Amino acid sequence: MALRARGAHCLVTTSQGRRLDLFEYQGKQLFARHGIPVPSGEVAETPEAARAAAERIGGTVVVKAQVQIGGRGKAGGIQLASTPDEAELHARNILGMDIRGHIVHQVWVEAASEIVKEYYASVTFDRGEKKPLVMLSAAGGMDIEEVAATQPEKLATVHVDPLTGFQAHHARWLVYHAGIDAGAQAGVVKILQQLYQAFTEFDTMLVEINPLIWTATGDVVALDAKVTIDNNSLYRHPDLLEMQLSVTEDPQERLAQEKGVTYVKLDGDVGILGNGAGLVMSTLDVVALAGGRPANFLDAGGGSKADEVVAALEVLLSDPKVKVLLINIFGGITRCDEVANGLLTALDNLGATLPIVVRLDGTNEDEGRKIIAEQAPPNVVVEATMLSAAQRAVELAKGVPA
Ligand code: GDP
Ligand code: MN
């Protein structure tokens, strides 16, 4: 329970775009960049490709489902194959599998390892302590919360001062207190330091190796990889953004990530664009109050400029479920005339014909309304209040044929 409170294992992949788990093979690529030993392998999207990969890798391979969720082994998503034939057969079974709501579209085929021992290592944030937390356990391959509950003596933790960083003595202390086998200690010490470097360099929320294995050949190797990205840091990690895009399937979410806008998909039919999280949340409530159902919401943020509004509208209008668009702007730093110009540009560029209800309030609201009135696009309705705008949008949503 204490661990859960520390946030070590309750990190979830949300559709809210704030953080996202990479696939195992992507995590391993990042680990490899910091020198952490990982088995070599290849991604395959078809059984035939898995067979070809197994042929190239040679010997026994393991075929692993690539989904953003753990417990793949228990679900049957990880299988050893001693021949390319077998690898193809396993891939055929695993591809398309539903692992707790995650459909498998790719498998990772890697050289099989001979495991002597399974350990656990991770770095995450302890928000309570306001410090990174490094955890190491001699009991790997199982859920770390279970280890904490049943074998706490096998779990060692260290809080790191972010200014002085994670030092070799921290790693040695952890290795000693976690009860890591003598032959594996040097390898684990090194990997812990590399793991901490990866954690800081990639601005991640979590890096986890479970299991970290000690092999028959005496090596210490990351057999699994979980990397949770903080989306707020993507602007300085274009390569992570690319990885993340390959994980995101929803076309609107992908577009929003590419454009750098905050977007959340819901299941109604009124598309919502507001500026600032609070206003957007209130808009959702008011739409519900008016008897409607939001299709999604998009926060254009404070100080939105015309081109940001265009980008936001592009994302919203690409969602086929949106029947009506409700734009709710309270101008503080954001200027309503900028929003109006963005709206008109977007309409020109995208040729959208669906009804759009606009409420502009605050800085330069008169200029904004005037800009819209001058051009008077036939599908744009301006309303004076948030409630009347929501009511109008809901009426229009009900009247527009699907
Ligand atoms: P998870 O179940 O999603 O956490 O997937 P993991 O990658 O952690 O794999 C689950 C388990 O499969 C590991 O704990 C290992 O016991 C087993 N496993 C995975 N790869 C290999 C391998 O190369 N050789 C052997 N012998 N077992 C493996
Ligand atoms: Mn695992």
Side-chain angles (χ1 to χ4, degrees):
M1 215 49 222
L3 277 174
R4 186 170 285 285
R6 284 172 184 166
H9 248 250
C10 51
L11 298 177
V12 288
T13 306
T14 68
S15 59
Q16 278 139 41
R18 302 259 59 105
R19 56 173 63 154
L20 194 122
D21 294 336
L22 294 179
F23 288 136
E24 169 200 3
Y25 78 90
Q26 297 172 318
K28 283 179 168 169
Q29 283 170 5
L30 296 184
F31 287 175
R33 286 202 225 160
H34 279 276
I36 297 173
V38 292
S40 57
E42 291 180 32
V43 177
E45 293 182 356
T46 63
E48 295 72 27
R51 156 192 274 280
E55 271 163 7
R56 278 188 292 268
I57 294 163
T60 304
V61 297
V62 49
V63 181
K64 308 185 77 175
Q66 296 301 292
V67 283
Q68 299 155 281
I69 194 163
R72 295 164 300 163
K74 280 185 205 146
I78 294 176
Q79 301 290 339
L80 283 165
S82 48
T83 63
D85 268 350
E86 234 182 294
E88 180 175 343
L89 184 72
H90 288 315
R92 184 158 285 129
N93 292 332
I94 293 172
L95 287 164
M97 195 182 255
D98 180 336
I99 300 183
R100 283 174 288 143
H102 294 250
I103 307 295
V104 182
H105 298 296
Q106 292 173 317
V107 291
W108 171 244
V109 183
E110 74 175 19
S113 306
E114 255 190 82
I115 304 173
V116 175
K117 276 284 183 64
E118 299 196 337
Y119 309 129
Y120 169 97
S122 70
V123 187
T124 182
F125 282 111
D126 184 339
R127 289 178 187 276
E129 293 283 328
K130 302 195 177 96
K131 282 177 182 159
L133 174 68
V134 183
M135 294 200 270
L136 180 67
S137 170
M142 53 197 283
D143 190 358
I144 198 61
E145 285 164 348
E146 198 184 320
V147 175
T150 60
Q151 314 173 61
E153 74 286 352
K154 287 195 175 160
L155 178 65
T157 62
V158 133
H159 284 100
V160 182
D161 180 331
L163 294 180
T164 48
F166 184 76
Q167 308 288 333
H169 69 85
H170 290 128
R172 287 194 296 269
W173 187 93
L174 284 167
V175 159
Y176 177 74
H177 286 274
I180 301 296
D181 302 82
Q185 288 181 357
V188 175
V189 163
K190 193 167 172 198
I191 287 175
L192 284 176
Q193 294 176 84
Q194 292 162 327
L195 190 63
Y196 188 83
Q197 284 167 7
F199 175 80
T200 46
E201 188 202 312
F202 301 124
D203 292 315
T204 50
M205 306 297 291
L206 169 76
V207 286
E208 183 185 73
I209 308 177
N210 190 21
L212 175 65
I213 57 161
W214 186 29
T215 70
T217 50
D219 301 310
V220 182
V221 176
L223 202 64
D224 193 4
K226 181 170 175 189
V227 174
T228 306
I229 288 179
D230 177 354
N231 282 7
N232 293 319
S233 74
L234 286 177
Y235 72 96
R236 52 187 187 199
H237 299 292
D239 47 343
L240 294 188
L241 176 63
E242 220 158 274
M243 283 188 180
Q244 194 188 59
L245 284 172
S246 75
V247 173
T248 307
E249 280 170 33
D250 181 85
Q252 278 75 46
E253 279 175 16
R254 285 179 60 100
L255 192 59
Q257 283 167 6
E258 276 161 5
K259 307 243 171 220
V261 294
T262 303
Y263 168 85
V264 176
K265 195 175 196 103
L266 301 165
D267 55 10
D269 51 18
V270 181
I272 291 172
L273 170 65
N275 61 322
L279 182 66
V280 171
M281 293 298 157
S282 320
T283 313
L284 295 178
D285 287 346
V286 175
V287 167
L289 182 72
R293 294 175 64 225
N296 49 40
F297 67 80
L298 206 146
D299 177 5
S304 307
K305 291 276 183 283
D307 51 347
E308 287 161 352
V309 175
V310 175
L313 287 169
E314 223 175 293
V315 175
L316 285 175
L317 294 172
S318 72
D319 184 345
K321 282 191 350 197
V322 174
K323 287 188 194 161
V324 176
L325 205 60
L326 172 56
I327 302 180
N328 187 14
I329 301 295
F330 184 81
I333 311 168
T334 303
R335 288 166 36 195
C336 292
D337 54 326
E338 284 272 2
V339 174
N341 280 325
L343 172 62
L344 295 178
T345 309
L347 289 180
D348 274 353
N349 292 354
L350 307 169
T353 52
L354 87 177
I356 299 176
V357 182
V358 188
R359 175 251 184 170
L360 295 175
D361 204 344
T363 310
N364 293 3
E365 58 180 72
D366 293 334
E367 289 88 333
R369 291 201 195 107
K370 194 166 152 236
I371 289 167
I372 294 175
E374 272 166 9
Q375 201 139 332
N379 53 332
V380 176
V381 183
V382 179
E383 285 283 342
T385 71
M386 178 152 137
L387 181 62
S388 66
Q391 285 166 338
R392 189 69 177 266
V394 172
E395 278 164 21
L396 287 166
K398 286 182 177 156
V400 178

